[in-house]
Coordinates of all heavy atoms in Angstrom, one line a residue:
M234 N 96.0 87.5 109.9 CA 96.2 87.7 111.4 C 96.5 86.4 112.0 O 95.8 85.4 111.7 CB 94.9 88.3 111.9 CG 95.0 88.7 113.4 SD 93.5 89.5 114.1 CE 93.2 90.9 113.0
S235 N 97.4 86.4 112.9 CA 97.9 85.1 113.5 C 97.0 84.8 114.7 O 96.2 85.6 115.2 CB 99.3 85.3 114.0 OG 99.4 86.2 115.0
A236 N 97.1 83.5 115.1 CA 96.3 83.0 116.3 C 96.6 83.8 117.5 O 95.6 84.2 118.3 CB 96.5 81.5 116.5
H237 N 97.8 84.1 117.8 CA 98.1 84.8 119.0 C 97.6 86.3 119.0 O 97.3 86.8 120.0 CB 99.6 84.8 119.4 CG 100.5 85.5 118.4 ND1 101.0 84.9 117.3 CD2 101.0 86.8 118.5 CE1 101.8 85.8 116.7 NE2 101.8 86.9 117.4
E238 N 97.5 86.9 117.8 CA 96.9 88.2 117.7 C 95.4 88.2 118.0 O 94.9 89.0 118.6 CB 97.2 88.8 116.3 CG 98.6 89.2 116.1 CD 98.9 89.6 114.7 OE1 98.4 89.0 113.8 OE2 99.7 90.6 114.6
I239 N 94.8 87.1 117.5 CA 93.3 87.0 117.7 C 93.1 86.8 119.2 O 92.2 87.4 119.8 CB 92.8 85.8 116.9 CG1 92.8 86.2 115.4 CG2 91.3 85.4 117.3 CD1 92.5 85.0 114.5
V240 N 93.9 85.9 119.9 CA 93.8 85.7 121.3 C 94.0 87.0 122.1 O 93.3 87.4 123.0 CB 94.8 84.6 121.8 CG1 94.8 84.6 123.3 CG2 94.4 83.3 121.2
G241 N 95.0 87.8 121.6 CA 95.2 89.1 122.3 C 94.1 90.1 122.1 O 93.7 90.8 123.0
L242 N 93.5 90.1 120.9 CA 92.3 91.0 120.7 C 91.1 90.5 121.5 O 90.4 91.4 122.0 CB 92.0 91.0 119.2 CG 92.9 91.7 118.3 CD1 92.6 91.5 116.8 CD2 92.9 93.2 118.7
F243 N 91.0 89.2 121.7 CA 89.9 88.7 122.6 C 90.2 89.3 124.0 O 89.2 89.7 124.7 CB 89.9 87.2 122.6 CG 89.0 86.6 123.6 CD1 87.6 86.6 123.3 CD2 89.4 86.0 124.8 CE1 86.7 86.1 124.2 CE2 88.5 85.5 125.7 CZ 87.2 85.5 125.4
G244 N 91.4 89.3 124.5 CA 91.8 89.8 125.8 C 91.4 91.3 125.9 O 90.9 91.7 126.9
V245 N 91.7 92.1 124.9 CA 91.3 93.5 124.9 C 89.8 93.6 125.0 O 89.3 94.5 125.7 CB 91.8 94.2 123.6 CG1 91.3 95.6 123.4 CG2 93.4 94.2 123.5
A246 N 89.1 92.8 124.3 CA 87.6 92.8 124.4 C 87.1 92.5 125.8 O 86.2 93.2 126.3 CB 87.0 91.8 123.4
C247 N 87.8 91.6 126.5 CA 87.4 91.3 127.8 C 87.6 92.5 128.7 O 86.7 92.8 129.5 CB 88.3 90.1 128.4 SG 87.9 88.5 127.7
Y248 N 88.7 93.2 128.6 CA 89.0 94.4 129.4 C 87.9 95.4 129.1 O 87.3 96.0 130.1 CB 90.3 95.1 129.0 CG 91.5 94.6 129.6 CD1 92.6 94.1 128.8 CD2 91.8 94.7 131.0 CE1 93.8 93.8 129.4 CE2 93.0 94.3 131.5 CZ 94.0 93.8 130.7 OH 95.2 93.5 131.3
Q249 N 87.6 95.6 127.9 CA 86.7 96.7 127.5 C 85.2 96.4 127.9 O 84.5 97.3 128.3 CB 86.8 97.0 126.0 CG 88.1 97.4 125.5 CD 88.7 98.6 126.2 OE1 88.0 99.6 126.4 NE2 89.9 98.5 126.6
I250 N 84.8 95.1 127.8 CA 83.5 94.8 128.2 C 83.3 94.9 129.7 O 82.3 95.5 130.1 CB 83.2 93.3 127.7 CG1 83.1 93.2 126.2 CG2 81.9 92.8 128.4 CD1 83.1 91.8 125.7
A251 N 84.3 94.5 130.4 CA 84.2 94.7 131.9 C 84.1 96.2 132.3 O 83.3 96.6 133.1 CB 85.4 94.0 132.6
Y252 N 85.0 97.0 131.7 CA 85.0 98.4 132.0 C 83.7 99.1 131.6 O 83.1 99.8 132.4 CB 86.2 99.1 131.3 CG 86.3 100.5 131.7 CD1 86.7 100.9 132.9 CD2 86.1 101.5 130.7 CE1 86.9 102.2 133.3 CE2 86.2 102.8 131.1 CZ 86.6 103.2 132.3 OH 86.7 104.5 132.7
F253 N 83.2 98.7 130.4 CA 82.0 99.3 129.9 C 80.8 98.9 130.8 O 80.0 99.8 131.1 CB 81.8 98.8 128.5 CG 80.6 99.4 127.8 CD1 80.6 100.8 127.4 CD2 79.5 98.7 127.4 CE1 79.5 101.4 126.7 CE2 78.4 99.3 126.8 CZ 78.4 100.6 126.4
A254 N 80.7 97.7 131.2 CA 79.6 97.2 132.0 C 79.6 97.9 133.4 O 78.5 98.2 133.9 CB 79.7 95.7 132.2
I255 N 80.8 98.1 133.9 CA 80.8 98.7 135.2 C 80.5 100.2 135.1 O 79.7 100.7 135.9 CB 82.3 98.6 135.8 CG1 82.5 97.1 136.3 CG2 82.4 99.5 137.0 CD1 83.9 96.8 136.7
Q256 N 81.0 100.9 134.1 CA 80.7 102.3 133.9 C 79.2 102.6 133.7 O 78.7 103.6 134.1 CB 81.5 102.9 132.7 CG 83.0 102.9 133.0 CD 83.3 103.7 134.3 OE1 82.8 104.8 134.5 NE2 84.1 103.1 135.2
L257 N 78.5 101.7 133.0 CA 77.1 101.8 132.8 C 76.3 101.4 133.9 O 75.0 101.5 133.9 CB 76.7 101.1 131.5 CG 77.2 101.7 130.2 CD1 76.7 100.8 129.0 CD2 76.8 103.1 130.0
G258 N 76.9 100.8 134.9 CA 76.2 100.3 136.1 C 75.4 99.0 135.8 O 74.5 98.7 136.5
R259 N 75.8 98.3 134.8 CA 75.1 97.1 134.4 C 75.5 95.9 135.3 O 74.7 95.0 135.5 CB 75.4 96.7 132.9 CG 75.0 97.7 131.9 CD 73.6 97.6 131.6 NE 73.2 98.5 130.5 CZ 72.1 98.5 129.9 NH1 71.3 97.5 130.1 NH2 71.8 99.4 129.0
I260 N 76.7 95.9 135.8 CA 77.2 94.8 136.6 C 78.0 95.4 137.8 O 78.7 96.4 137.6 CB 78.2 93.9 135.8 CG1 77.4 93.3 134.6 CG2 78.8 92.8 136.7 CD1 78.3 92.4 133.7
D261 N 77.8 94.8 138.9 CA 78.5 95.2 140.1 C 80.0 94.9 140.0 O 80.3 93.8 139.5 CB 77.9 94.5 141.3 CG 78.6 94.9 142.6 OD1 79.6 94.4 143.0 OD2 78.0 95.8 143.3
P262 N 80.9 95.8 140.4 CA 82.3 95.5 140.2 C 82.8 94.2 140.9 O 83.8 93.7 140.6 CB 83.0 96.7 140.8 CG 82.0 97.8 140.7 CD 80.7 97.1 140.9
N263 N 82.0 93.8 141.9 CA 82.4 92.6 142.7 C 81.8 91.3 142.1 O 82.0 90.2 142.6 CB 82.0 92.7 144.1 CG 82.8 93.8 144.8 OD1 84.0 93.9 144.6 ND2 82.1 94.5 145.6
D264 N 81.0 91.5 141.0 CA 80.4 90.3 140.3 C 81.5 89.4 139.8 O 82.5 89.8 139.2 CB 79.5 90.9 139.2 CG 78.7 89.8 138.6 OD1 79.2 88.8 138.0 OD2 77.4 89.9 138.6
G265 N 81.3 88.1 139.9 CA 82.2 87.1 139.4 C 82.5 87.2 137.9 O 83.6 86.9 137.5
R266 N 81.5 87.7 137.2 CA 81.8 87.9 135.7 C 82.8 88.9 135.4 O 83.6 88.8 134.5 CB 80.5 88.2 135.0 CG 79.4 87.1 135.1 CD 78.1 87.5 134.5 NE 77.5 88.4 135.4 CZ 76.3 89.0 135.2 NH1 75.6 88.8 134.1 NH2 75.8 89.8 136.1
I267 N 82.8 90.0 136.2 CA 83.8 91.1 136.1 C 85.2 90.5 136.4 O 86.2 90.8 135.7 CB 83.4 92.3 136.9 CG1 82.2 92.9 136.3 CG2 84.6 93.3 136.9 CD1 82.2 93.5 134.9
V268 N 85.2 89.8 137.5 CA 86.5 89.2 137.9 C 87.0 88.3 136.8 O 88.2 88.3 136.5 CB 86.3 88.4 139.3 CG1 87.6 87.7 139.6 CG2 86.0 89.4 140.4
A269 N 86.1 87.5 136.3 CA 86.6 86.5 135.2 C 87.1 87.3 134.0 O 88.1 87.0 133.5 CB 85.4 85.7 134.8
L270 N 86.4 88.4 133.6 CA 86.9 89.2 132.5 C 88.2 89.8 132.8 O 89.1 89.9 131.9 CB 85.8 90.2 132.1 CG 84.5 89.7 131.4 CD1 83.5 90.7 131.3 CD2 84.9 89.1 130.0
N271 N 88.3 90.3 134.0 CA 89.6 91.0 134.4 C 90.7 90.1 134.6 O 91.9 90.5 134.8 CB 89.3 91.9 135.6 CG 88.8 93.2 135.2 OD1 89.2 93.8 134.3 ND2 87.8 93.7 136.0
V272 N 90.5 88.8 134.7 CA 91.6 87.8 134.7 C 91.8 87.3 133.3 O 93.0 87.2 132.9 CB 91.2 86.6 135.7 CG1 92.2 85.5 135.5 CG2 91.3 87.1 137.1
L273 N 90.8 87.0 132.6 CA 90.9 86.5 131.2 C 91.6 87.5 130.3 O 92.4 87.1 129.5 CB 89.5 86.1 130.7 CG 89.4 85.3 129.4 CD1 90.2 84.0 129.6 CD2 88.0 85.0 129.1
G274 N 91.2 88.7 130.4 CA 91.8 89.8 129.6 C 93.3 89.8 129.6 O 94.0 89.5 128.6
P275 N 93.9 90.0 130.8 CA 95.4 90.0 130.8 C 96.1 88.7 130.6 O 97.1 88.6 130.0 CB 95.7 90.5 132.2 CG 94.5 90.4 133.0 CD 93.4 90.4 132.1
V276 N 95.4 87.6 131.0 CA 96.0 86.3 130.7 C 96.1 86.0 129.2 O 97.2 85.6 128.7 CB 95.2 85.1 131.4 CG1 95.6 83.8 130.9 CG2 95.4 85.2 132.9
T277 N 95.1 86.4 128.4 CA 95.2 86.2 127.0 C 96.2 87.1 126.4 O 96.9 86.8 125.4 CB 93.8 86.3 126.3 OG1 93.3 87.6 126.7 CG2 92.8 85.3 126.8
L278 N 96.3 88.3 126.9 CA 97.3 89.3 126.4 C 98.7 88.8 126.8 O 99.6 89.0 126.0 CB 97.0 90.7 126.9 CG 95.8 91.3 126.1 CD1 95.2 92.5 126.9 CD2 96.3 91.8 124.8
L279 N 98.9 88.2 127.9 CA 100.2 87.7 128.3 C 100.5 86.6 127.3 O 101.7 86.4 126.9 CB 100.2 87.2 129.7 CG 100.2 88.3 130.8 CD1 99.9 87.7 132.2 CD2 101.5 89.1 130.8
Y280 N 99.5 85.7 126.9 CA 99.8 84.7 126.0 C 100.3 85.3 124.6 O 101.2 84.9 124.0 CB 98.5 83.9 125.7 CG 98.6 83.0 124.5 CD1 99.3 81.8 124.6 CD2 98.1 83.3 123.3 CE1 99.5 80.9 123.5 CE2 98.2 82.5 122.2 CZ 98.9 81.3 122.3 OH 99.0 80.5 121.2
S281 N 99.6 86.3 124.2 CA 100.0 87.0 122.9 C 101.3 87.6 123.0 O 102.1 87.6 122.0 CB 98.9 88.0 122.4 OG 99.0 89.2 123.2
L282 N 101.7 88.1 124.2 CA 103.0 88.7 124.4 C 104.2 87.6 124.3 O 105.3 88.0 124.1 CB 103.1 89.4 125.7 CG 102.4 90.8 125.7 CD1 102.3 91.3 127.2 CD2 103.0 91.8 124.8
M283 N 103.8 86.4 124.5 CA 104.9 85.3 124.4 C 105.4 85.3 123.0 O 106.5 84.8 122.7 CB 104.3 84.0 124.8 CG 104.1 83.9 126.3 SD 103.8 82.2 126.9 CE 102.3 81.8 126.1
H284 N 104.6 85.7 122.0 CA 104.9 85.7 120.6 C 105.5 87.0 120.1 O 106.3 87.0 119.1 CB 103.7 85.3 119.8 CG 103.2 84.0 120.1 ND1 103.7 82.8 119.7 CD2 102.1 83.6 120.9 CE1 103.1 81.8 120.2 NE2 102.1 82.2 120.9
D285 N 105.2 88.0 120.7 CA 105.7 89.4 120.4 C 105.9 90.2 121.6 O 105.1 91.0 122.0 CB 104.7 90.1 119.4 CG 105.3 91.3 118.8 OD1 106.5 91.5 118.8 OD2 104.5 92.1 118.2
F286 N 107.0 89.9 122.4 CA 107.3 90.3 123.7 C 107.5 91.9 123.8 O 108.1 92.4 122.9 CB 108.5 89.6 124.3 CG 108.6 89.9 125.8 CD1 107.7 89.3 126.7 CD2 109.5 90.8 126.3 CE1 107.8 89.6 128.1 CE2 109.7 91.1 127.6 CZ 108.8 90.4 128.5
N287 N 106.9 92.4 124.8 CA 107.0 93.9 125.1 C 107.0 93.9 126.7 O 106.0 93.7 127.3 CB 105.9 94.6 124.5 CG 105.9 96.1 124.8 OD1 106.0 96.5 126.0 ND2 105.7 96.9 123.8
L288 N 108.1 94.3 127.3 CA 108.3 94.3 128.7 C 107.3 95.2 129.4 O 106.6 94.7 130.4 CB 109.7 94.6 129.2 CG 110.0 94.5 130.7 CD1 109.7 93.1 131.2 CD2 111.4 95.0 131.0
P289 N 107.1 96.4 129.1 CA 106.1 97.3 129.8 C 104.7 96.7 129.7 O 104.0 96.7 130.7 CB 106.2 98.6 129.1 CG 107.6 98.6 128.5 CD 107.9 97.2 128.1
S290 N 104.3 96.2 128.6 CA 103.0 95.6 128.5 C 102.9 94.3 129.3 O 101.9 94.1 130.0 CB 102.7 95.3 127.0 OG 101.4 94.8 126.8
F291 N 103.9 93.5 129.3 CA 103.9 92.3 130.2 C 103.8 92.7 131.6 O 102.9 92.1 132.3 CB 105.3 91.6 129.9 CG 105.4 90.3 130.8 CD1 104.8 89.1 130.4 CD2 106.1 90.4 132.0 CE1 104.9 88.0 131.2 CE2 106.3 89.3 132.8 CZ 105.7 88.1 132.4
V292 N 104.5 93.6 132.1 CA 104.4 94.0 133.5 C 103.0 94.6 133.8 O 102.4 94.2 134.8 CB 105.5 95.1 133.8 CG1 105.3 95.7 135.2 CG2 106.9 94.4 133.8
A293 N 102.5 95.4 132.9 CA 101.1 96.0 133.2 C 100.1 94.9 133.3 O 99.2 94.9 134.2 CB 100.8 96.9 132.0
H294 N 100.1 93.9 132.4 CA 99.1 92.9 132.5 C 99.3 91.9 133.7 O 98.4 91.5 134.3 CB 99.1 92.1 131.2 CG 98.7 92.9 130.0 ND1 97.6 93.6 129.9 CD2 99.4 93.2 128.9 CE1 97.5 94.3 128.8 NE2 98.6 94.0 128.1
L295 N 100.6 91.7 134.0 CA 100.9 90.9 135.2 C 100.4 91.5 136.5 O 99.7 90.9 137.3 CB 102.4 90.6 135.3 CG 102.8 89.6 136.3 CD1 102.2 88.2 136.0 CD2 104.3 89.4 136.3
V296 N 100.6 92.8 136.6 CA 100.1 93.6 137.7 C 98.6 93.6 137.8 O 98.0 93.4 138.8 CB 100.7 95.0 137.7 CG1 100.0 95.9 138.8 CG2 102.2 95.0 138.0
W297 N 97.9 93.8 136.6 CA 96.5 93.8 136.5 C 95.9 92.5 137.0 O 94.9 92.5 137.8 CB 96.0 94.0 135.1 CG 94.6 94.3 134.9 CD1 93.6 93.4 134.9 CD2 94.0 95.6 134.8 NE1 92.4 94.0 134.8 CE2 92.6 95.4 134.7 CE3 94.4 96.9 134.8 CZ2 91.7 96.4 134.6 CZ3 93.5 97.9 134.7 CH2 92.2 97.7 134.6
V298 N 96.4 91.4 136.6 CA 95.9 90.1 137.0 C 96.1 89.9 138.5 O 95.3 89.4 139.3 CB 96.5 89.0 136.2 CG1 97.3 88.0 137.0 CG2 95.5 88.2 135.4
T299 N 97.3 90.3 139.0 CA 97.6 90.2 140.5 C 96.6 91.0 141.3 O 96.1 90.5 142.3 CB 99.0 90.6 140.7 OG1 99.9 89.8 139.9 CG2 99.4 90.5 142.2
I300 N 96.4 92.3 140.9 CA 95.5 93.1 141.6 C 94.0 92.5 141.6 O 93.3 92.5 142.6 CB 95.5 94.6 141.1 CG1 96.8 95.2 141.4 CG2 94.3 95.4 141.6 CD1 97.0 96.5 140.6
T301 N 93.6 92.1 140.5 CA 92.3 91.5 140.3 C 92.1 90.3 141.3 O 91.1 90.2 142.0 CB 92.0 91.1 138.9 OG1 92.0 92.2 138.1 CG2 90.6 90.4 138.7
L302 N 93.1 89.4 141.2 CA 93.0 88.2 142.1 C 93.1 88.6 143.6 O 92.4 88.0 144.4 CB 94.1 87.2 141.7 CG 93.9 86.6 140.3 CD1 95.1 85.7 140.0 CD2 92.6 85.7 140.3
A303 N 93.9 89.5 143.9 CA 94.0 90.0 145.3 C 92.7 90.5 145.8 O 92.2 90.3 146.9 CB 95.1 91.0 145.5
G304 N 92.0 91.4 144.9 CA 90.7 91.9 145.3 C 89.7 90.8 145.4 O 88.8 90.9 146.3
F305 N 89.7 89.9 144.5 CA 88.8 88.8 144.5 C 88.9 88.0 145.9 O 87.9 87.7 146.5 CB 89.0 87.8 143.3 CG 88.1 86.6 143.3 CD1 86.7 86.7 143.0 CD2 88.6 85.4 143.6 CE1 85.9 85.6 143.0 CE2 87.8 84.3 143.6 CZ 86.5 84.4 143.3
V306 N 90.1 87.6 146.2 CA 90.4 86.9 147.5 C 89.9 87.7 148.7 O 89.2 87.2 149.5 CB 91.9 86.5 147.6 CG1 92.2 86.0 149.0 CG2 92.2 85.5 146.5
K307 N 90.2 89.0 148.7 CA 89.8 89.9 149.8 C 88.3 89.9 149.9 O 87.7 89.8 151.0 CB 90.3 91.3 149.6 CG 90.0 92.2 150.7 CD 90.6 93.6 150.5 CE 90.3 94.5 151.7 NZ 89.2 95.4 151.4
S308 N 87.6 90.0 148.8 CA 86.1 90.1 148.8 C 85.5 88.7 149.3 O 84.6 88.7 150.0 CB 85.5 90.5 147.5 OG 85.5 89.4 146.6
R309 N 86.1 87.7 148.9 CA 85.6 86.3 149.3 C 85.9 86.1 150.8 O 85.0 85.6 151.5 CB 86.3 85.2 148.5 CG 85.9 85.2 147.0 CD 84.4 85.0 146.9 NE 84.0 85.1 145.5 CZ 82.9 85.6 145.0 NH1 82.0 86.1 145.8 NH2 82.7 85.7 143.8
L310 N 87.0 86.5 151.3 CA 87.3 86.4 152.7 C 86.4 87.2 153.5 O 86.0 86.8 154.6 CB 88.8 86.7 153.0 CG 89.8 85.7 152.4 CD1 91.3 86.2 152.7 CD2 89.6 84.3 153.1
G311 N 86.1 88.4 153.0 CA 85.2 89.3 153.7 C 83.8 88.7 153.8 O 83.1 88.8 154.8
R312 N 83.3 88.0 152.8 CA 82.0 87.4 152.8 C 82.0 86.2 153.8 O 81.0 86.0 154.5 CB 81.6 86.9 151.4 CG 81.3 88.0 150.5 CD 80.9 87.5 149.1 NE 80.7 88.6 148.2 CZ 80.6 88.5 146.9 NH1 80.7 87.3 146.4 NH2 80.5 89.5 146.2
V313 N 83.1 85.5 153.8 CA 83.1 84.3 154.7 C 83.1 84.8 156.2 O 82.4 84.2 157.0 CB 84.4 83.5 154.5 CG1 84.6 82.4 155.6 CG2 84.3 82.8 153.1
S314 N 83.8 85.9 156.5 CA 83.9 86.3 157.9 C 82.6 87.0 158.4 O 82.3 87.1 159.5 CB 85.0 87.3 158.1 OG 84.8 88.5 157.4
R315 N 81.7 87.5 157.4 CA 80.5 88.1 157.8 C 79.3 87.1 158.0 O 78.3 87.5 158.5 CB 80.1 89.1 156.7 CG 80.9 90.4 156.7 CD 80.3 91.3 155.7 NE 81.4 91.6 154.8 CZ 81.3 91.9 153.5 NH1 80.1 92.0 153.0 NH2 82.3 92.2 152.8
T316 N 79.5 85.9 157.5 CA 78.4 84.9 157.7 C 78.5 84.1 159.0 O 79.3 84.2 159.8 CB 78.5 83.9 156.5 OG1 79.7 83.2 156.5 CG2 78.2 84.6 155.2

């Protein structure tokens, strides 16, 4: 198994851990750890795609990271305006 495949599998684990923790109610979806996992997952998968490119997968992961970061910024701005 190559290094980029291992990095990609790590990204898959990040996605799955985040989803699992939210579904079980172990972590709040706005928790920074979930945000980190939801950024780290697609970023590592995008890295692995640089070695074995697949356009639909690239677009899906790019959109995922964009949505996660947009939600994170929105939640942070909401906290600032409430204080």
Side-chain angles (χ1 to χ4, degrees):
M234 186 176 305
S235 66
H237 67 272
E238 289 174 319
I239 292 169
V240 170
L242 287 172
F243 175 75
V245 170
C247 289
Y248 275 123
Q249 300 305 315
I250 290 167
Y252 185 68
F253 186 69
I255 290 170
Q256 292 304 311
L257 291 181
R259 301 274 183 170
I260 298 177
D261 184 274
N263 294 318
D264 187 300
R266 294 173 290 179
I267 293 298
V268 173
L270 288 170
N271 276 318
V272 169
L273 192 57
V276 166
T277 57
L278 283 159
L279 288 169
Y280 169 79
S281 74
L282 285 170
M283 289 191 298
H284 299 280
D285 191 13
F286 190 75
N287 176 309
L288 182 61
S290 185
F291 177 82
V292 170
H294 297 304
L295 190 60
V296 169
W297 190 278
V298 119
T299 302
I300 291 169
T301 299
L302 291 175
F305 177 72
V306 168
K307 182 178 183 259
S308 80
R309 294 297 176 217
L310 289 176
R312 288 184 188 165
V313 169
S314 66
R315 284 186 240 149
T316 59

